[in-house]
Amino acid sequence: MHGEYKIPGGKLVVVDVDVADGVLRRVRVAGDFFLEPDEALDAVNGALEGAPAETDAAGLAARIDAALPAGTVMYGLTSEGIGIAVRRALAHATDWTDYDWQLIHEAPQDPALHMALDEVLTAEVAAGNRPPTLRVWEWGRPAVIIGSFQSLRNEVDAEGARRHGIEVVRRISGGGAMFVEPGNTITYSLSVPESLVQGLSFQDSYAYLDDWVLGALGDMGIRAWYQPLNDIATEQGKIAGAAQKRLVGPAGGPGAVLHHVTMAYDIDADKMVDVLRIGKEKLSDKGTGSAKKRVDPLRRQTGLPREAVIERMIASFRERYGLGPGKVTDEELSRATELARAKFSSPEWTARVP
């Protein structure tokens, strides 16, 4: 079995392993990482040899740490990252480059339709009817997007939203509320087969699916990192938030993962705090007492037009994994339009958690 794992902010770990009588055999760890001394690699392989095949990534990491020679230095490598690569090998996980990725970047659309498209396209990936897809959104109007489990009245000031003409919609993924405006926001979705994140914990899957955009930001001169559970941050503050939803496949078979990210290109901070109820408790672990200070937009950090930032992000993805042109099919659009009307525009859904 063969598994690969690109450690977020680090290097690639490759593991080849067999299983015999319920334990790991013939373990071979490789990659473009740095490791000193040389014999540390033999210690890693030896620590994994004979481990029960059901051992989780943390347990494998503990075996590795206990076996490493004194003074071992890892650069671009972690014991847990090796453990994750082993788990991905055992789970027969796929890699980004195993797929023919499709890009969808179409005209501005209403917020409710964006929510519906996420659900429909990811369901099509789960069903095997669509290749893994990167969809870059264009917003037709300003909106607040609340998480699936958030209280509507606790998160949104209804009067402030009416005053500013802000539409409120609820998405199918969890996480927090996002304030979006056309021209000020960059949003994208990844609809991927479940096999791409096999062997990863829920938290690790966030970091794994965000890693490409960290590289894209780095190419634009921004040192960004994944901040658990679902933020992308820089030294100047948060620039993006991610959310996920897992959809099962037909007849309960292998499914797909929806991973979407909203990035602040620019922001009207006064309007945001007039519409969102951002309490002190939410900010208490963010290192700031002000929602305005917490978000630091990409416009200031890059000095680039929004369209140029998007173009560079797409180019970075294409260079890493390949990316062909695509579109929403007529059948997908028809289903999404009906879903936007019946579900995402309905008061029952929006206020399902009052």
Side-chain angles (χ1 to χ4, degrees):
M1 287 165 278
H2 179 87
E4 299 185 1
Y5 179 60
K6 167 66 167 58
I7 296 175
K11 298 294 185 177
L12 180 69
V13 182
V14 180
V15 172
D16 292 285
V17 60
D18 297 330
V19 174
D21 299 323
V23 299
L24 306 186
R25 295 298 185 197
R26 293 174 289 279
V27 182
R28 299 167 300 282
V29 175
D32 60 355
F33 49 80
F34 299 90
L35 180 63
E36 295 289 347
D38 281 354
E39 54 265 29
L41 183 60
D42 292 332
V44 169
N45 289 331
L48 296 172
E49 190 73 21
E54 69 272 12
T55 308
D56 64 13
L60 295 172
R63 291 176 67 104
I64 293 169
D65 289 338
L68 289 174
T72 294
V73 176
M74 294 181 173
Y75 184 74
L77 176 68
T78 64
S79 297
E80 185 172 5
I82 298 171
I84 291 172
V86 172
R87 295 310 316 168
R88 285 177 58 76
L90 298 177
H92 301 282
T94 54
D95 186 66
W96 295 84
T97 54
D98 292 334
Y99 300 104
D100 293 324
W101 288 87
Q102 187 174 102
L103 170 68
I104 294 176
H105 187 191
E106 298 183 340
Q109 290 156 325
D110 286 344
L113 184 58
H114 278 306
M115 304 303 112
L117 282 168
D118 262 359
E119 184 169 336
V120 168
L121 296 180
T122 306
E124 287 296 279
V125 172
N129 298 328
R130 157 172 287 283
T133 300
L134 168 65
R135 183 169 74 92
V136 180
W137 304 20
E138 294 295 343
W139 292 95
R141 65 181 72 178
V144 167
I145 315 300
I146 60 175
S148 181
F149 310 107
Q150 288 189 295
S151 164
L152 177 61
R153 62 171 170 257
N154 287 348
E155 297 298 327
V156 181
D157 184 312
E159 176 54 36
R162 281 192 294 269
R163 186 165 57 253
H164 293 292
I166 304 293
E167 182 176 353
V168 181
V169 295
R170 185 184 295 273
R171 61 181 183 267
I172 60 173
S173 61
M178 308 299 294
F179 175 75
V180 301
E181 292 184 291
N184 282 355
T185 307
I186 297 172
T187 304
Y188 67 86
S189 302
L190 290 170
S191 297
V192 305
E194 187 179 32
S195 58
L196 184 62
V197 296
Q198 287 285 5
L200 300 179
S201 68
F202 191 75
Q203 177 171 317
D204 289 333
S205 72
Y206 272 83
Y208 184 68
L209 295 176
D210 281 339
D211 190 61
W212 73 274
V213 80
L214 300 184
L217 291 169
D219 293 341
M220 288 180 265
I222 299 176
R223 191 178 76 84
W225 58 86
Y226 162 73
Q227 183 170 296
L229 171 63
N230 62 332
D231 287 350
I232 297 174
T234 71
E235 292 177 352
Q236 285 72 43
K238 173 181 173 178
I239 57 173
Q244 283 187 12
K245 178 67 176 179
R246 310 293 173 104
L247 300 184
V248 299
V257 178
L258 167 65
H259 180 92
H260 43 199
V261 174
T262 293
M263 313 180 77
Y265 172 73
D266 204 351
I267 194 165
D268 186 332
D270 290 328
K271 187 185 297 184
M272 178 184 71
V273 297
D274 202 27
V275 173
L276 294 183
R277 301 185 190 275
I278 304 175
K280 293 181 179 179
E281 183 66 23
K282 183 176 291 187
L283 297 172
S284 63
D285 65 343
K286 308 298 182 182
T288 179
S290 168
K292 295 181 184 180
K293 294 179 180 178
R294 185 185 171 206
V295 179
D296 195 80
L298 287 170
R299 179 179 182 178
R300 190 190 69 79
Q301 294 198 47
T302 65
L304 296 171
R306 175 180 176 275
E307 293 74 17
V309 174
I310 291 173
E311 287 173 4
R312 292 196 184 194
M313 288 171 57
I314 291 172
S316 180
F317 191 104
R318 181 179 292 115
E319 183 178 346
R320 286 167 173 249
Y321 310 126
L323 186 65
K327 66 175 185 176
V328 177
T329 68
D330 291 342
E331 193 271 338
E332 289 168 338
L333 182 59
S334 176
R335 286 169 52 198
T337 300
E338 174 57 23
L339 192 61
R341 183 198 65 78
K343 178 178 179 179
F344 292 105
S345 296
S346 71
E348 293 80 12
W349 170 257
T350 304
R352 77 183 190 100
V353 183

